[in-house]
Amino acid sequence: MMMLATYDLFYILLSLILFTVPQISEAYNTSGAHFYVLPRALPLAQMSLTGSVYSTLAITVERYLIVCHPFYTISHKWAAKRYIIPIVLFSFLYNLPKFFELTTGLETTNATDAVNLDSLLNEVEPITKYTIEPTTMRVNEYYIKIYCIWMNFAFMGLLPFCLLIILNALTLRSLIVQNKSTLSNEFSMSKKNEIALAKVSLTICLIFILCHSVKWIPNLYELARLATEDKRAWPAWVESVTHISHFLMTVNSSVNFYVYCVKHYKLLSNCCDGSISGSGSLNLIHTDVGSVSDQHRRSSANSRMRRSSTWLLNKSKMSRLSSVISL
């Protein structure tokens, strides 16, 4: 979850730099900063988006294994680095060609004013205009079809979406079965935190699918246009859908953190309430100072509590053992 929040935070910041700042600051455009930042910030934004997608997929895989195959996770304890390192490497290597797609160009034009004769006699200063130009690799037909279209469709669309839908469907079915099963209270309480985390994962994945589905409309349109070799400019509705897609992906990166915090705020509140009530009862026991008979009654009560807690612990172990044998 920390890795997902980190990728989402970087994607939001880079989206603000790429799409928001040029719209609200004229000096940012005229100074040429935007044209130097965009070729370098856009690959970083794509890298953050890739990391966010596969971090969501990693959370889904982890929740699926814990809910549907709990004994496998107990016998194979995976550290977080087994998820983090492959995702970081894949996000960097997969988006490495994007650093060589765009470059900053300069166009020099001579501005003349032919309205009056005095302007023709004066020396005309050239005007420098910054542009974003594609490299030779970016306009290559095979690069566009293989990397920009098909690989993007497979690794950023089809594979994550299919795995998210299938694994979340299996996790949801397992949660429904567990809620209907007649397990002991001790065993149910031990699963409470894992079920809550699984619900968080389901909510995050549902928002992910809804927000990332829109981006495939312009991608599929571009794929269809390449198939027909249509060289016309994009229609206005495709540009509008592209802007909506950027907005929804930014919303998705913003919502993930709040979904996680809202769910865990409830869990943290329950834990704090339980610790406060437990400490209150403990203070009552320690402040109840009386005669020797009161102390004797307290010691006998404590011994009965220890025996009952031992009996409950043994009962919990037997229930777990019986569940293992039944499986």
Side-chain angles (χ1 to χ4, degrees):
M1 292 300 303
M2 292 178 63
M3 179 176 63
L4 176 61
T6 302
Y7 278 122
D8 287 339
L9 179 61
F10 274 105
Y11 181 76
I12 293 171
L13 293 176
L14 291 170
S15 296
L16 291 174
I17 295 173
L18 290 171
F19 305 115
T20 304
V21 176
Q23 300 298 325
I24 63 177
S25 176
E26 185 66 25
Y28 182 73
N29 291 325
T30 57
S31 65
H34 173 66
F35 299 93
Y36 283 101
V37 170
L38 189 142
R40 297 158 181 83
L42 190 61
L44 294 176
Q46 293 292 331
M47 190 182 304
S48 301
L49 181 63
T50 304
S52 177
V53 170
Y54 280 89
S55 296
T56 306
L57 182 60
I59 293 172
T60 303
V61 171
E62 185 202 15
R63 291 299 102 191
Y64 166 75
L65 292 176
I66 290 177
V67 174
C68 300
H69 303 282
F71 293 103
Y72 178 82
T73 56
I74 294 174
S75 59
H76 300 79
K77 292 184 178 180
W78 286 11
K81 62 182 180 181
R82 294 196 177 185
Y83 294 98
I84 296 175
I85 294 177
I87 292 175
V88 171
L89 291 177
F90 176 76
S91 300
F92 175 75
L93 295 177
Y94 178 76
N95 294 282
L96 186 61
K98 296 184 183 297
F99 287 93
F100 308 98
E101 289 184 356
L102 302 174
T103 183
T104 305
L106 294 174
E107 290 183 0
T108 303
T109 57
N110 294 324
T112 59
D113 186 7
V115 176
N116 49 50
L117 184 63
D118 295 336
S119 62
L120 297 176
L121 299 176
N122 296 328
E123 183 179 358
V124 178
E125 296 181 358
I127 298 176
T128 302
K129 182 180 179 182
Y130 295 94
T131 59
I132 300 295
E133 298 178 356
T135 60
T136 306
M137 183 183 70
R138 182 63 181 86
V139 297
N140 185 274
E141 180 181 359
Y142 294 102
Y143 177 81
I144 296 174
K145 289 183 178 180
I146 296 175
Y147 179 76
C148 298
I149 303 297
W150 290 111
M151 290 183 64
N152 191 40
F153 178 75
F155 291 104
M156 295 295 293
L158 186 63
L159 178 63
F161 270 62
C162 290
L163 289 177
L164 285 173
I165 293 173
I166 293 173
L167 294 180
N168 279 286
L170 294 175
T171 304
L172 182 61
R173 187 183 67 176
S174 179
L175 288 175
I176 294 174
V177 172
Q178 288 185 16
N179 289 332
K180 292 182 179 179
S181 62
T182 57
L183 297 176
S184 64
N185 293 330
E186 293 291 332
F187 188 74
S188 298
M189 290 298 294
S190 65
K191 284 291 183 179
K192 185 177 180 180
N193 190 30
E194 300 300 338
I195 293 175
L197 289 173
K199 291 179 180 179
V200 171
S201 175
L202 289 173
T203 306
I204 290 176
C205 292
L206 177 61
I207 298 174
F208 173 86
I209 292 173
L210 292 176
C211 293
H212 281 255
S213 298
V214 180
K215 72 177 182 180
W216 294 110
I217 297 177
N219 289 341
L220 293 175
Y221 179 84
E222 184 179 5
L223 182 62
R225 192 179 67 168
L226 286 176
T228 58
E229 296 183 356
D230 188 3
K231 303 298 182 182
R232 294 177 297 176
W234 284 31
W237 69 269
V238 178
E239 290 290 338
S240 300
V241 172
T242 303
H243 295 312
I244 295 173
S245 172
H246 292 160
F247 172 73
L248 289 177
M249 285 189 289
T250 307
V251 169
N252 178 43
S253 298
S254 305
V255 167
N256 287 339
F257 178 77
Y258 291 104
V259 171
Y260 185 76
C261 287
V262 167
K263 191 65 180 178
H264 277 264
Y265 177 77
K266 295 179 180 179
L267 292 176
L268 185 61
S269 299
N270 294 332
C271 293
C272 291
D273 293 340
S275 62
I276 290 173
S277 62
S279 61
S281 61
L282 190 61
N283 290 331
L284 288 176
I285 292 175
H286 282 290
T287 54
D288 186 14
V289 180
S291 60
V292 178
S293 59
D294 293 334
Q295 295 178 1
H296 177 71
R297 283 195 300 269
R298 286 198 299 271
S299 62
S300 60
N302 290 332
S303 62
R304 285 195 301 269
M305 289 174 64
R306 285 195 297 269
R307 287 196 300 270
S308 61
S309 61
T310 304
W311 180 80
L312 287 174
L313 182 61
N314 293 331
K315 182 180 178 182
S316 175
K317 291 180 179 179
M318 291 301 295
S319 63
R320 292 189 180 93
L321 183 60
S322 61
S323 61
V324 173
I325 295 173
S326 60
L327 291 175

